[in-house]
Coordinates of all heavy atoms in Angstrom, one line a residue:
M25 N 22.6 -27.8 149.9 CA 22.9 -27.2 151.2 C 22.1 -26.0 151.4 O 22.1 -25.1 150.5 CB 24.4 -27.0 151.2 CG 25.0 -26.8 152.6 SD 26.7 -26.8 152.6 CE 27.2 -25.9 151.2
T26 N 21.4 -25.9 152.5 CA 20.6 -24.7 152.8 C 20.9 -24.2 154.2 O 21.1 -25.1 155.1 CB 19.1 -24.9 152.6 OG1 18.7 -26.0 153.4 CG2 18.8 -25.3 151.1
K27 N 20.9 -22.9 154.4 CA 21.0 -22.4 155.8 C 19.7 -21.7 156.1 O 19.0 -21.1 155.3 CB 22.2 -21.5 155.9 CG 22.2 -20.3 155.0 CD 23.4 -19.4 155.1 CE 23.4 -18.3 154.2 NZ 24.5 -17.4 154.3
E28 N 19.3 -21.8 157.4 CA 18.0 -21.3 157.8 C 18.0 -19.8 158.1 O 16.9 -19.3 158.3 CB 17.4 -22.1 159.0 CG 18.3 -22.2 160.2 CD 18.1 -21.1 161.2 OE1 17.0 -20.6 161.3 OE2 19.0 -20.8 161.9
R29 N 19.1 -19.2 158.1 CA 19.1 -17.7 158.3 C 20.3 -17.2 157.5 O 21.3 -17.8 157.2 CB 19.2 -17.4 159.7 CG 20.3 -17.9 160.5 CD 20.2 -17.7 162.0 NE 20.0 -16.3 162.3 CZ 19.8 -15.8 163.5 NH1 19.7 -16.7 164.5 NH2 19.6 -14.6 163.8
E30 N 20.2 -15.9 157.2 CA 21.2 -15.2 156.3 C 22.5 -14.8 157.1 O 23.6 -14.8 156.5 CB 20.6 -14.0 155.6 CG 19.7 -14.4 154.5 CD 20.3 -15.4 153.5 OE1 21.4 -15.1 153.0 OE2 19.7 -16.4 153.2
D31 N 22.3 -14.4 158.4 CA 23.5 -14.0 159.1 C 23.3 -14.3 160.6 O 22.2 -14.6 161.1 CB 23.8 -12.5 158.9 CG 22.7 -11.6 159.2 OD1 21.9 -11.8 160.2 OD2 22.4 -10.6 158.4
L32 N 24.4 -14.1 161.4 CA 24.4 -14.3 162.8 C 24.9 -13.0 163.5 O 25.7 -12.3 162.9 CB 25.3 -15.4 163.2 CG 25.0 -16.8 162.7 CD1 26.1 -17.8 163.0 CD2 23.7 -17.3 163.3
R33 N 24.4 -12.7 164.7 CA 24.8 -11.6 165.4 C 26.0 -11.9 166.3 O 26.0 -12.9 167.1 CB 23.7 -11.0 166.3 CG 22.6 -10.4 165.5 CD 21.5 -9.9 166.4 NE 20.9 -11.0 167.1 CZ 20.5 -11.0 168.4 NH1 20.7 -10.0 169.1 NH2 20.0 -12.1 168.9
A34 N 27.1 -11.2 166.1 CA 28.3 -11.4 166.9 C 28.1 -11.3 168.4 O 27.3 -10.4 168.8 CB 29.4 -10.5 166.5
G35 N 28.7 -12.2 169.2 CA 28.6 -12.1 170.6 C 27.2 -12.5 171.2 O 27.0 -12.3 172.4
S36 N 26.3 -13.0 170.4 CA 25.0 -13.3 170.9 C 24.6 -14.7 171.1 O 23.5 -15.1 171.5 CB 24.0 -12.7 169.9 OG 24.1 -13.4 168.6
N37 N 25.5 -15.6 170.7 CA 25.3 -17.0 170.7 C 24.1 -17.4 169.7 O 23.5 -18.5 169.9 CB 24.9 -17.6 172.1 CG 26.1 -17.6 173.0 OD1 27.2 -17.9 172.5 ND2 26.0 -17.3 174.3
D38 N 23.9 -16.6 168.7 CA 23.0 -17.0 167.6 C 23.4 -18.3 167.0 O 24.6 -18.6 166.9 CB 23.0 -15.9 166.5 CG 22.0 -14.8 166.8 OD1 21.3 -14.8 167.8 OD2 22.0 -13.8 166.0
L39 N 22.4 -19.0 166.5 CA 22.6 -20.3 165.9 C 22.1 -20.3 164.5 O 21.1 -19.6 164.2 CB 21.9 -21.4 166.6 CG 22.3 -21.7 168.1 CD1 21.5 -22.8 168.7 CD2 23.8 -22.1 168.2
C40 N 22.8 -21.0 163.6 CA 22.3 -21.1 162.2 C 22.3 -22.6 161.9 O 23.4 -23.3 162.1 CB 23.3 -20.4 161.2 SG 22.8 -20.6 159.5
Y41 N 21.2 -23.2 161.5 CA 21.1 -24.6 161.2 C 21.3 -24.7 159.7 O 20.6 -24.1 158.9 CB 19.7 -25.1 161.5 CG 19.4 -25.1 163.0 CD1 19.0 -23.9 163.7 CD2 19.7 -26.2 163.8 CE1 18.8 -23.9 165.0 CE2 19.5 -26.2 165.2 CZ 19.1 -25.0 165.8 OH 18.9 -25.0 167.1
V42 N 22.3 -25.6 159.3 CA 22.6 -25.8 157.9 C 22.2 -27.2 157.6 O 22.7 -28.2 158.2 CB 24.1 -25.5 157.6 CG1 24.4 -25.8 156.2 CG2 24.5 -24.1 158.0
N43 N 21.4 -27.4 156.6 CA 20.9 -28.7 156.1 C 21.7 -29.1 154.9 O 21.8 -28.4 154.0 CB 19.4 -28.7 155.8 CG 18.6 -28.3 157.0 OD1 18.7 -29.0 158.0 ND2 17.8 -27.3 156.9
I44 N 22.3 -30.3 155.0 CA 23.1 -30.9 153.9 C 22.3 -32.1 153.4 O 21.8 -32.9 154.1 CB 24.4 -31.4 154.5 CG1 25.2 -30.2 155.1 CG2 25.2 -32.1 153.4 CD1 26.4 -30.6 155.9
E45 N 22.1 -32.0 152.0 CA 21.4 -33.1 151.3 C 22.2 -33.6 150.2 O 22.8 -32.8 149.4 CB 20.0 -32.6 150.9 CG 19.1 -32.2 152.0 CD 17.8 -31.7 151.5 OE1 17.7 -31.2 150.4 OE2 16.8 -31.9 152.3
L46 N 22.2 -34.9 150.0 CA 22.9 -35.5 148.8 C 21.9 -35.5 147.7 O 20.9 -36.3 147.7 CB 23.3 -36.9 149.2 CG 24.3 -37.1 150.3 CD1 24.6 -38.5 150.6 CD2 25.6 -36.3 150.1
V47 N 22.1 -34.7 146.7 CA 21.2 -34.6 145.5 C 22.0 -35.0 144.3 O 23.2 -34.9 144.2 CB 20.6 -33.2 145.4 CG1 19.8 -32.8 146.6 CG2 21.7 -32.1 145.2
D48 N 21.2 -35.4 143.3 CA 21.8 -35.7 142.0 C 21.9 -34.5 141.1 O 21.6 -33.4 141.6 CB 21.0 -36.8 141.2 CG 19.6 -36.4 140.9 OD1 19.3 -35.2 140.9 OD2 18.8 -37.3 140.6
A49 N 22.3 -34.6 139.9 CA 22.6 -33.5 139.0 C 21.3 -32.7 138.7 O 21.4 -31.5 138.4 CB 23.2 -34.0 137.7
S50 N 20.1 -33.3 138.9 CA 18.9 -32.6 138.7 C 18.3 -32.0 140.0 O 17.3 -31.4 140.0 CB 17.8 -33.6 138.2 OG 18.2 -34.1 136.9
G51 N 19.1 -32.1 141.1 CA 18.7 -31.6 142.4 C 17.7 -32.4 143.1 O 17.1 -32.0 144.1
I52 N 17.6 -33.7 142.7 CA 16.6 -34.6 143.4 C 17.4 -35.3 144.6 O 18.5 -35.9 144.3 CB 16.0 -35.6 142.4 CG1 15.2 -34.8 141.4 CG2 15.2 -36.6 143.2 CD1 14.7 -35.7 140.3
L53 N 16.8 -35.3 145.7 CA 17.4 -35.9 146.9 C 17.5 -37.4 146.7 O 16.6 -38.1 146.3 CB 16.5 -35.7 148.2 CG 17.0 -36.3 149.4 CD1 18.3 -35.8 149.9 CD2 15.9 -36.1 150.5
N54 N 18.7 -37.9 147.0 CA 19.0 -39.4 146.8 C 19.0 -40.0 148.2 O 20.1 -40.0 148.9 CB 20.3 -39.6 146.1 CG 20.5 -41.0 145.7 OD1 19.8 -41.9 146.3 ND2 21.4 -41.3 144.8
T55 N 17.9 -40.5 148.7 CA 17.8 -41.1 150.0 C 18.5 -42.4 150.2 O 18.7 -42.9 151.3 CB 16.3 -41.2 150.5 OG1 15.6 -42.0 149.6 CG2 15.7 -39.8 150.6
A56 N 18.8 -43.1 149.0 CA 19.4 -44.4 149.1 C 20.9 -44.4 149.3 O 21.5 -45.4 149.6 CB 19.1 -45.2 147.8
V57 N 21.5 -43.2 149.1 CA 22.9 -43.1 149.3 C 23.3 -42.6 150.7 O 22.7 -41.6 151.2 CB 23.5 -42.1 148.2 CG1 25.0 -41.8 148.4 CG2 23.3 -42.6 146.8
Q58 N 24.3 -43.3 151.3 CA 24.8 -42.9 152.6 C 26.3 -42.6 152.3 O 27.0 -43.4 151.8 CB 24.6 -44.0 153.6 CG 23.2 -44.5 153.7 CD 22.1 -43.4 153.9 OE1 22.4 -42.4 154.5 NE2 21.0 -43.8 153.5
R59 N 26.7 -41.4 152.7 CA 28.1 -41.0 152.5 C 28.7 -40.4 153.8 O 27.9 -39.8 154.6 CB 28.3 -40.0 151.4 CG 28.1 -40.5 150.1 CD 29.0 -39.9 149.1 NE 28.8 -40.5 147.8 CZ 28.2 -39.9 146.8 NH1 27.8 -38.7 146.8 NH2 28.0 -40.6 145.6
K60 N 30.0 -40.6 154.0 CA 30.6 -39.9 155.1 C 30.9 -38.5 154.8 O 31.4 -38.2 153.7 CB 31.9 -40.7 155.5 CG 31.7 -42.0 156.1 CD 32.9 -42.7 156.5 CE 32.6 -44.1 157.0 NZ 33.8 -44.8 157.4
V61 N 30.5 -37.6 155.6 CA 30.6 -36.2 155.4 C 31.4 -35.6 156.6 O 31.2 -35.8 157.7 CB 29.2 -35.5 155.4 CG1 29.3 -34.0 155.2 CG2 28.4 -36.0 154.2
T62 N 32.4 -34.8 156.2 CA 33.2 -34.1 157.2 C 33.0 -32.6 157.1 O 32.9 -32.0 156.0 CB 34.7 -34.3 156.9 OG1 35.0 -35.8 156.9 CG2 35.6 -33.7 157.9
V63 N 32.8 -32.0 158.3 CA 32.5 -30.5 158.3 C 33.6 -29.8 159.1 O 34.2 -30.4 160.1 CB 31.2 -30.2 159.0 CG1 30.1 -30.7 158.1 CG2 31.0 -30.8 160.3
A64 N 33.9 -28.6 158.7 CA 34.9 -27.8 159.4 C 34.5 -26.3 159.2 O 33.7 -26.0 158.3 CB 36.3 -28.0 158.8
I65 N 35.0 -25.4 160.1 CA 34.6 -24.0 160.0 C 35.8 -23.2 160.1 O 36.7 -23.5 160.9 CB 33.5 -23.7 160.9 CG1 32.8 -22.3 160.6 CG2 34.0 -23.6 162.4 CD1 31.4 -22.2 161.0
E66 N 35.8 -22.1 159.4 CA 36.9 -21.0 159.5 C 36.2 -19.7 159.8 O 35.1 -19.5 159.2 CB 37.7 -21.0 158.2 CG 38.4 -22.2 157.9 CD 39.1 -22.2 156.5 OE1 38.8 -21.2 155.8 OE2 39.9 -23.1 156.2
G67 N 36.8 -18.9 160.6 CA 36.3 -17.6 160.8 C 35.6 -17.5 162.2 O 35.8 -18.3 163.0
P68 N 34.8 -16.4 162.4 CA 34.3 -16.0 163.7 C 33.0 -16.8 164.1 O 32.0 -16.2 164.5 CB 34.0 -14.5 163.6 CG 33.6 -14.4 162.1 CD 34.5 -15.4 161.4
A69 N 33.1 -18.1 164.0 CA 32.0 -19.0 164.5 C 32.5 -20.4 164.8 O 33.7 -20.7 164.5 CB 30.9 -19.1 163.4
V70 N 31.7 -21.2 165.5 CA 32.1 -22.5 165.8 C 31.0 -23.5 165.4 O 29.8 -23.1 165.3 CB 32.4 -22.7 167.3 CG1 33.6 -21.9 167.7 CG2 31.2 -22.4 168.1
I71 N 31.4 -24.7 165.2 CA 30.3 -25.8 165.0 C 29.9 -26.2 166.4 O 30.6 -26.8 167.1 CB 30.9 -26.9 164.2 CG1 31.3 -26.5 162.8 CG2 29.9 -28.1 164.1 CD1 32.0 -27.5 161.9
Q72 N 28.6 -25.9 166.6 CA 28.0 -26.3 167.9 C 27.7 -27.8 168.0 O 27.8 -28.4 169.0 CB 26.7 -25.5 168.2 CG 26.2 -25.7 169.5 CD 27.0 -25.1 170.6 OE1 27.7 -24.1 170.5 NE2 27.1 -25.8 171.8
G73 N 27.4 -28.3 166.9 CA 27.1 -29.8 166.8 C 26.7 -30.1 165.4 O 26.4 -29.3 164.6
S74 N 26.7 -31.4 165.1 CA 26.3 -31.9 163.8 C 25.8 -33.4 164.0 O 26.2 -34.0 164.9 CB 27.4 -31.8 162.8 OG 28.5 -32.6 163.2
G75 N 25.0 -33.8 163.0 CA 24.5 -35.2 163.1 C 23.4 -35.4 162.1 O 23.2 -34.6 161.2
T76 N 22.8 -36.6 162.3 CA 21.7 -37.0 161.4 C 20.5 -37.4 162.3 O 20.6 -37.4 163.5 CB 22.1 -38.2 160.5 OG1 22.3 -39.3 161.4 CG2 23.4 -37.9 159.8
G77 N 19.4 -37.9 161.6 CA 18.3 -38.3 162.4 C 18.3 -39.8 162.7 O 17.3 -40.4 163.1
R78 N 19.5 -40.4 162.5 CA 19.6 -41.9 162.7 C 19.4 -42.2 164.2 O 20.1 -41.6 165.1 CB 21.0 -42.3 162.3 CG 21.2 -43.8 162.3 CD 22.6 -44.3 161.9 NE 23.1 -43.6 160.7 CZ 22.9 -44.1 159.4 NH1 22.2 -45.2 159.2 NH2 23.3 -43.4 158.4
A79 N 18.5 -43.1 164.5 CA 18.2 -43.4 165.9 C 19.3 -44.1 166.6 O 19.5 -43.8 167.8 CB 16.9 -44.2 166.0
R80 N 20.0 -45.0 166.0 CA 21.0 -45.8 166.6 C 22.3 -45.5 165.9 O 22.5 -45.8 164.7 CB 20.8 -47.2 166.6 CG 19.6 -47.6 167.4 CD 19.4 -49.1 167.3 NE 18.2 -49.5 168.1 CZ 18.2 -50.3 169.1 NH1 19.4 -50.9 169.5 NH2 17.1 -50.6 169.7
T81 N 23.3 -44.9 166.6 CA 24.6 -44.5 166.0 C 25.6 -44.5 167.1 O 25.3 -44.2 168.2 CB 24.5 -43.2 165.2 OG1 25.8 -42.9 164.6 CG2 24.1 -42.1 166.1
E82 N 26.9 -44.7 166.7 CA 28.0 -44.5 167.6 C 28.6 -43.1 167.5 O 29.5 -42.7 168.2 CB 29.1 -45.5 167.3 CG 28.6 -47.0 167.5 CD 28.4 -47.3 169.0 OE1 29.2 -46.8 169.8 OE2 27.4 -48.0 169.3
E83 N 28.0 -42.3 166.5 CA 28.6 -41.0 166.3 C 28.1 -40.0 167.4 O 27.1 -40.2 168.0 CB 28.0 -40.4 165.0 CG 28.5 -41.3 163.8 CD 27.8 -40.9 162.5 OE1 26.8 -40.2 162.5 OE2 28.3 -41.4 161.4
N84 N 29.0 -39.0 167.7 CA 28.7 -38.0 168.7 C 28.4 -36.7 168.0 O 28.9 -36.4 166.9 CB 30.0 -37.9 169.6 CG 29.8 -37.0 170.7 OD1 29.4 -35.8 170.6 ND2 30.1 -37.5 171.9
Y85 N 27.5 -35.9 168.6 CA 27.2 -34.6 168.0 C 28.4 -33.7 167.8 O 28.3 -32.8 167.0 CB 26.1 -33.9 168.9 CG 24.8 -34.6 168.9 CD1 24.2 -35.1 170.0 CD2 24.1 -34.7 167.7 CE1 23.0 -35.7 170.0 CE2 22.8 -35.3 167.6 CZ 22.3 -35.8 168.8 OH 21.1 -36.5 168.8
F86 N 29.4 -33.9 168.6 CA 30.6 -33.1 168.5 C 31.7 -33.6 167.5 O 32.7 -33.0 167.3 CB 31.2 -32.9 169.9 CG 30.3 -32.3 170.9 CD1 29.8 -33.0 171.9 CD2 29.8 -31.0 170.7 CE1 28.9 -32.4 172.8 CE2 28.9 -30.4 171.6 CZ 28.4 -31.1 172.6
D87 N 31.4 -34.8 166.9 CA 32.3 -35.3 165.9 C 32.2 -34.4 164.6 O 31.2 -33.8 164.3 CB 31.9 -36.7 165.5 CG 32.2 -37.7 166.6 OD1 32.9 -37.4 167.5 OD2 31.6 -38.8 166.5
S88 N 33.3 -34.4 163.9 CA 33.4 -33.6 162.7 C 33.0 -34.4 161.5 O 32.8 -33.9 160.4 CB 34.7 -32.9 162.5 OG 35.7 -33.9 162.3
M89 N 32.8 -35.7 161.6 CA 32.5 -36.6 160.5 C 31.3 -37.4 160.9 O 31.2 -38.0 162.0 CB 33.6 -37.5 160.2 CG 33.5 -38.2 158.9 SD 32.6 -39.8 158.9 CE 33.5 -40.7 160.1
H90 N 30.3 -37.5 160.0 CA 29.1 -38.3 160.2 C 28.7 -39.0 158.9 O 29.1 -38.5 157.8 CB 27.9 -37.4 160.6 CG 28.1 -36.8 161.9 ND1 27.8 -37.5 163.1 CD2 28.5 -35.6 162.3 CE1 28.0 -36.7 164.1 NE2 28.5 -35.5 163.7
E91 N 28.0 -40.1 159.0 CA 27.5 -40.7 157.8 C 26.0 -40.2 157.6 O 25.3 -40.2 158.6 CB 27.5 -42.2 157.9 CG 27.0 -42.9 156.6 CD 27.1 -44.4 156.7 OE1 26.4 -45.0 157.4 OE2 28.0 -45.0 156.0
T92 N 25.7 -39.8 156.4 CA 24.4 -39.2 156.2 C 23.3 -40.3 156.4 O 23.6 -41.5 156.4 CB 24.2 -38.7 154.7 OG1 24.5 -39.8 153.8 CG2 25.1 -37.5 154.5
Y93 N 22.1 -39.9 156.7 CA 21.0 -40.8 157.0 C 19.9 -40.4 156.0 O 19.5 -39.2 156.1 CB 20.6 -40.7 158.4 CG 19.4 -41.6 158.7 CD1 19.4 -43.0 158.6 CD2 18.2 -41.0 159.2 CE1 18.4 -43.8 158.9 CE2 17.1 -41.8 159.5 CZ 17.2 -43.2 159.4 OH 16.1 -44.0 159.7
N94 N 19.5 -41.3 155.2 CA 18.5 -41.0 154.1 C 18.9 -39.8 153.3 O 18.1 -38.9 152.9 CB 17.1 -40.7 154.7 CG 16.4 -42.0 155.3 OD1 16.7 -43.1 154.8 ND2 15.5 -41.8 156.2
G95 N 20.2 -39.7 153.1 CA 20.8 -38.6 152.2 C 20.9 -37.3 152.9 O 21.2 -36.3 152.2
R96 N 20.7 -37.2 154.2 CA 20.7 -35.9 154.9 C 21.6 -35.9 156.1 O 21.9 -36.9 156.7 CB 19.3 -35.6 155.4 CG 18.3 -35.4 154.3 CD 16.9 -35.0 154.9 NE 16.0 -34.7 153.8 CZ 15.0 -35.5 153.4 NH1 14.9 -36.7 153.9 NH2 14.2 -35.0 152.5
M97 N 21.9 -34.6 156.5 CA 22.7 -34.3 157.7 C 22.5 -32.9 158.1 O 22.1 -32.1 157.2 CB 24.2 -34.6 157.4 CG 25.1 -34.3 158.5 SD 26.8 -34.6 158.0 CE 27.7 -33.7 159.2
Q98 N 22.7 -32.5 159.3 CA 22.5 -31.1 159.7 C 23.7 -30.7 160.6 O 24.2 -31.5 161.4 CB 21.2 -31.0 160.6 CG 20.9 -29.5 160.9 CD 19.5 -29.4 161.5 OE1 19.4 -29.8 162.6 NE2 18.6 -28.8 160.8
V99 N 24.1 -29.4 160.4 CA 25.2 -28.8 161.1 C 24.6 -27.6 161.8 O 23.9 -26.8 161.2 CB 26.3 -28.4 160.2 CG1 27.5 -27.8 161.0 CG2 26.8 -29.6 159.4
V100 N 25.0 -27.4 163.1 CA 24.6 -26.2 163.8 C 25.8 -25.3 164.0 O 26.8 -25.8 164.6 CB 23.9 -26.5 165.2 CG1 23.4 -25.3 165.9 CG2 22.8 -27.5 165.0
V101 N 25.7 -24.1 163.5 CA 26.8 -23.1 163.6 C 26.5 -22.0 164.6 O 25.4 -21.5 164.6 CB 27.2 -22.5 162.3 CG1 28.2 -21.4 162.4 CG2 27.6 -23.6 161.3
R102 N 27.4 -21.7 165.6 CA 27.1 -20.7 166.6 C 28.1 -19.5 166.4 O 29.3 -19.7 166.1 CB 27.4 -21.3 168.0 CG 27.1 -20.2 169.1 CD 27.1 -20.8 170.5 NE 28.3 -21.6 170.8 CZ 29.5 -21.2 171.2 NH1 29.7 -19.9 171.4 NH2 30.5 -22.0 171.4
A103 N 27.5 -18.3 166.5 CA 28.3 -17.1 166.3 C 29.3 -17.0 167.4 O 29.1 -17.3 168.5 CB 27.4 -15.9 166.3
G104 N 30.5 -16.4 167.0 CA 31.5 -16.1 168.0 C 31.3 -14.6 168.4 O 30.3 -14.0 168.2
V105 N 32.3 -14.1 169.1 CA 32.2 -12.7 169.6 C 32.7 -11.7 168.6 O 32.3 -10.5 168.7 CB 33.0 -12.5 170.9 CG1 32.4 -13.4 172.0 CG2 34.5 -12.9 170.7
E106 N 33.5 -12.1 167.6 CA 34.0 -11.1 166.6 C 33.1 -11.1 165.4 O 32.4 -12.1 165.1 CB 35.4 -11.5 166.2 CG 36.4 -11.4 167.4 CD 37.8 -11.8 167.0 OE1 38.1 -11.8 165.8 OE2 38.6 -12.1 167.9
K107 N 33.1 -10.0 164.6 CA 32.4 -9.9 163.4 C 33.3 -10.4 162.2 O 34.5 -10.4 162.3 CB 32.0 -8.4 163.1 CG 31.0 -7.9 164.2 CD 30.7 -6.5 163.9 CE 29.7 -6.0 164.9 NZ 29.3 -4.6 164.7
G108 N 32.7 -10.8 161.2 CA 33.4 -11.3 160.0 C 32.5 -12.3 159.2 O 31.3 -12.3 159.4
T109 N 33.2 -13.1 158.4 CA 32.5 -14.1 157.7 C 33.0 -15.5 158.0 O 34.2 -15.7 157.9 CB 32.7 -13.9 156.1 OG1 32.2 -12.6 155.8 CG2 31.9 -14.9 155.3
A110 N 32.1 -16.3 158.5 CA 32.4 -17.7 158.8 C 32.2 -18.5 157.5 O 31.2 -18.3 156.8 CB 31.5 -18.2 159.9
T111 N 33.1 -19.4 157.3 CA 33.0 -20.3 156.1 C 32.9 -21.7 156.6 O 33.8 -22.3 157.2 CB 34.2 -20.1 155.2 OG1 34.4 -18.8 154.8 CG2 34.1 -21.0 154.0
L112 N 31.8 -22.4 156.3 CA 31.5 -23.8 156.6 C 32.0 -24.6 155.4 O 31.6 -24.3 154.3 CB 30.1 -24.0 156.9 CG 29.7 -25.4 157.3 CD1 30.3 -25.8 158.6 CD2 28.2 -25.6 157.4
I113 N 32.9 -25.6 155.7 CA 33.4 -26.4 154.6 C 32.9 -27.8 154.8 O 33.0 -28.4 155.9 CB 35.0 -26.4 154.7 CG1 35.5 -25.0 154.6 CG2 35.6 -27.3 153.6 CD1 36.8 -24.8 155.3
I114 N 32.3 -28.3 153.7 CA 31.7 -29.7 153.7 C 32.4 -30.5 152.7 O 32.5 -30.2 151.6 CB 30.2 -29.6 153.4 CG1 29.4 -28.8 154.5 CG2 29.6 -31.0 153.3 CD1 29.1 -27.5 154.2
S115 N 32.9 -31.7 153.2 CA 33.6 -32.6 152.3 C 33.0 -34.0 152.4 O 32.6 -34.4 153.5 CB 35.1 -32.7 152.8 OG 35.7 -31.5 152.8
T116 N 32.9 -34.6 151.2 CA 32.3 -36.0 151.2 C 33.3 -36.9 150.5 O 34.3 -36.5 149.9 CB 31.0 -36.1 150.4 OG1 31.2 -35.7 149.1 CG2 29.9 -35.2 151.0
E117 N 33.1 -38.2 150.7 CA 34.0 -39.2 150.1 C 34.1 -39.1 148.6 O 35.2 -39.3 148.1 CB 33.4 -40.6 150.4 CG 33.3 -40.9 151.9 CD 32.5 -42.2 152.1 OE1 31.4 -42.3 151.6 OE2 33.1 -43.1 152.7
K118 N 33.1 -38.9 147.9 CA 33.2 -39.0 146.4 C 32.8 -37.7 145.7 O 32.5 -37.8 144.5 CB 32.2 -40.1 146.0 CG 32.6 -41.4 146.5 CD 31.7 -42.5 146.0 CE 32.2 -43.9 146.6 NZ 31.4 -45.0 146.2
S119 N 33.0 -36.6 146.3 CA 32.7 -35.3 145.6 C 33.6 -34.2 146.1 O 34.2 -34.4 147.2 CB 31.3 -34.9 145.6 OG 30.8 -34.8 146.9
E120 N 33.7 -33.1 145.4 CA 34.5 -32.0 145.8 C 33.9 -31.3 147.1 O 32.7 -31.4 147.3 CB 34.6 -31.0 144.7 CG 35.3 -31.5 143.5 CD 35.4 -30.4 142.4 OE1 35.3 -29.2 142.7 OE2 35.5 -30.8 141.2
S121 N 34.8 -30.6 147.8 CA 34.3 -29.9 148.9 C 33.4 -28.7 148.5 O 33.6 -28.1 147.4 CB 35.5 -29.3 149.7 OG 36.3 -30.3 150.3
V122 N 32.5 -28.4 149.4 CA 31.6 -27.3 149.1 C 31.6 -26.4 150.3 O 31.8 -26.8 151.5 CB 30.1 -27.8 149.0 CG1 29.1 -26.7 148.8 CG2 30.0 -28.8 147.8
T123 N 31.5 -25.1 150.1 CA 31.5 -24.1 151.2 C 30.3 -23.3 151.2 O 29.6 -23.1 150.2 CB 32.8 -23.2 151.1 OG1 32.7 -22.4 149.9 CG2 34.1 -23.9 151.1
I124 N 29.9 -22.8 152.4 CA 28.8 -21.9 152.5 C 29.3 -20.8 153.5 O 29.9 -21.1 154.5 CB 27.5 -22.6 153.0 CG1 26.4 -21.6 153.0 CG2 27.7 -23.2 154.4 CD1 25.0 -22.3 153.1
E125 N 29.0 -19.5 153.1 CA 29.5 -18.4 153.9 C 28.3 -17.9 154.8 O 27.2 -17.9 154.4 CB 30.0 -17.3 153.1 CG 31.3 -17.6 152.4 CD 31.9 -16.4 151.6 OE1 31.2 -15.4 151.4 OE2 33.1 -16.5 151.3
I126 N 28.7 -17.7 156.1 CA 27.7 -17.2 157.0 C 28.2 -15.9 157.6 O 29.2 -15.9 158.4 CB 27.4 -18.2 158.1 CG1 27.0 -19.5 157.5 CG2 26.3 -17.7 159.1 CD1 26.9 -20.7 158.5
P127 N 27.7 -14.7 157.3 CA 28.1 -13.5 157.8 C 27.8 -13.4 159.3 O 26.8 -13.8 159.8 CB 27.4 -12.4 157.1 CG 26.9 -13.1 155.8 CD 26.7 -14.5 156.2
V128 N 28.8 -12.9 160.1 CA 28.6 -12.7 161.5 C 28.7 -11.1 161.7 O 29.8 -10.6 161.5 CB 29.7 -13.4 162.4 CG1 29.5 -13.1 163.9 CG2 29.7 -14.9 162.1
V129 N 27.6 -10.5 162.0 CA 27.5 -9.0 162.0 C 27.3 -8.5 163.4 O 26.9 -9.2 164.3 CB 26.4 -8.5 161.1 CG1 26.7 -8.9 159.6 CG2 25.0 -9.1 161.5

């Protein structure tokens, strides 16, 4: 999981793109595996949208659950008006939840 910026400015509608990849124990991307991923956020930010590069899907960008495509998914987080730390929670079918913190300054 990687985020494209270190923090967001409160009250600015700043966006942070978080890339989610299904990797093995060696960190190698597994494009053959498709898993349902659920995202949630706590703190002074909101999930603006999430999804994959799949051309045909019934999923909506505003859904909190998506199936990865070629082992990947992206989440867009938007800053709120208050300062603090937003915590993005990523859960998959067959592994433990992972979190990533995004400071809102």
Side-chain angles (χ1 to χ4, degrees):
M25 196 168 40
T26 58
K27 58 183 179 178
E28 55 91 28
R29 60 189 303 173
E30 288 304 312
D31 56 40
L32 298 172
R33 289 178 298 137
S36 67
N37 287 323
D38 271 358
L39 299 175
C40 178
Y41 295 83
V42 179
N43 297 307
I44 300 167
E45 296 182 331
L46 301 178
V47 297
D48 63 17
S50 300
I52 297 172
L53 178 65
N54 189 343
T55 59
V57 173
Q58 309 308 332
R59 288 216 178 109
K60 291 183 180 177
V61 176
T62 302
V63 294
I65 196 152
E66 297 175 350
V70 296
I71 295 174
Q72 187 66 39
S74 59
T76 67
R78 188 181 313 272
R80 292 180 184 241
T81 181
E82 296 293 319
E83 298 170 346
N84 186 303
Y85 292 118
F86 301 113
D87 292 342
S88 62
M89 193 272 306
H90 294 276
E91 185 175 72
T92 58
Y93 177 63
N94 288 336
R96 295 183 172 103
M97 178 179 162
Q98 188 173 67
V99 181
V100 182
V101 176
R102 181 172 49 87
V105 295
E106 296 180 17
K107 295 180 180 182
T109 301
T111 303
L112 181 65
I113 304 151
I114 295 102
S115 306
T116 64
E117 297 171 305
K118 298 182 179 180
S119 58
E120 294 182 24
S121 294
V122 177
T123 62
I124 187 167
E125 292 186 343
I126 304 169
V128 180
V129 297

